[in-house]
Amino acid sequence: MTDKQILLTGDRPTGKMHIGHYVGSLRNRVELQNSGKYESYIMIADKQALTDNARDPKKVHDSVLQVALDYLAVGVDPEKSTIFLQSQIPALSELTEYYLNLVSLGRLERNPTVKTELKMRNFGEGIPAGFLIYPVSQAADITAFKATVIPVGDDQEPMLEQTREIVRTFNNVYSGDILVEPQGYFPPKGQGRIPGLDGVKMSKSLGNAIYLSDDADTLAKKVKSMYTDPEHINIDDPGHIEGNMVFTYLDIFDDDKEEVARLKEHYQRGGLGDMKIKKYLIEVLENKLAPIRERREMFAQNPEAVMKMLEEGSKKANLVASQTMREVRHAMGVDYFGEF
Ligand code: TRP
């Protein structure tokens, strides 16, 4: 056993990851991983991705490798973190089923994140039951590893709250202290969410994202199309920096804060053109993203090795989750024939 805190987080594989994911969570978890203070588990949540993509299994299947490549590209290190595939850990499904009895339908319907997501998705054929209950499956993901530190975006707080409730109820009803309550680890205020090129939330479906895998030309093209200040027509006009995506991005990505302050002042005074400032941003982003892109390309040359890494990680994760499962079965009295 370890005296380190246990960290667990995950992503749904529904496509490649973008710089919003990078800023909102990938960056954080790599830093935590490298601190050496945590035993760290990173999960590709393919089972959860299927809750709203059940009829598009190929998308989920193909995205597993893409997400694994994105992880490796940003510095998630399989020597330091166990990277695994949710669907390959049977205990997660078994735990989910038992936890479901401790949660009311009304409570599930009130989960704010699920509510928002339901509004965004139009489930023509009705809400899949699996989708409505995915917060419970997420509680299984977290508790199977007895994880206490969960680095995620702010939108995941309701999932953690629901997990804590399940932990308390379980420990209470089945008289034990087997399960452990998790806490979220969130990005610093104002840095968690990065808007898309058009100023709206960055997302795959809106087509306004910059991907970690975008090549240099695509990156430049996207930056050139960015929303700036519609009233800044002539170079000499004073410009606005509020809601101007170029400056929003510079605030997040440029480490040279003095230069950013100087450029802002110049832009507001007038005399600084959009093209010039965009070229500067392209350089800043290219400096950050080129090393990530290169690492990604290197790993992409050997997809078999990446899948092998996932397989090993899944085996390791399975041992840990199975142990918790045995404890849970014992506490509930469903271990009739001893351990298996
Ligand atoms: N719901 C998370 C997301 O969409 C992904 C996820 C699944 C997760 N299981 C998890 C995150 C467990 C943290 C812990 O981003």
Side-chain angles (χ1 to χ4, degrees), residues 109-274:
E109 281 160 355
R110 281 195 302 275
N111 183 305
T113 302
V114 172
K115 265 179 150 170
T116 316
E117 288 177 328
L118 282 176
K119 264 187 222 140
M120 277 162 35
R121 294 169 178 65
N122 291 314
F123 288 118
E125 294 156 64
I127 303 167
F131 183 82
L132 190 64
I133 66 142
Y134 91 73
V136 180
S137 130
Q138 193 153 332
D141 301 336
I142 293 169
T143 54
F145 296 88
K146 304 190 177 175
T148 51
V149 180
I150 318 294
V152 277
D154 305 332
D155 63 329
Q156 296 296 302
E157 178 55 27
M159 305 302 162
L160 299 175
E161 188 51 43
Q162 198 146 21
T163 302
R164 287 190 286 268
E165 284 173 28
I166 291 172
V167 167
R168 279 180 226 132
T169 311
F170 184 95
N171 286 344
N172 203 4
V173 173
Y174 301 109
S175 60
D177 51 1
I178 294 170
L179 303 184
V180 186
E181 288 188 37
Q183 298 299 329
Y185 185 98
F186 302 101
K189 275 258 165 302
Q191 286 187 29
R193 258 198 202 295
I194 163 169
L197 302 166
D198 50 3
V200 184
K201 176 182 182 249
M202 184 175 286
S203 107
K204 278 183 282 265
S205 45
L206 297 174
N208 61 1
I210 295 176
Y211 292 92
L212 295 172
S213 49
D214 279 347
D215 61 29
D217 285 349
T218 309
L219 173 66
K221 227 182 263 157
K222 286 184 176 175
V223 171
K224 286 180 188 159
S225 78
M226 250 181 190
Y227 181 84
T228 56
D229 171 11
E231 287 165 32
H232 188 238
I233 297 163
N234 302 307
I235 291 185
D236 291 332
D237 292 343
H240 293 98
I241 56 167
E242 303 79 26
N244 182 325
M245 287 310 107
V246 177
F247 288 100
T248 305
Y249 276 49
L250 283 177
D251 278 337
I252 296 173
F253 289 101
D254 194 353
D255 299 324
D256 188 350
K257 298 299 171 214
E258 279 172 29
E259 180 64 4
V260 176
R262 206 186 60 73
L263 291 168
K264 281 183 179 170
E265 190 276 318
H266 192 178
Y267 193 83
Q268 285 171 308
R269 180 162 32 98
L272 181 57
D274 277 11

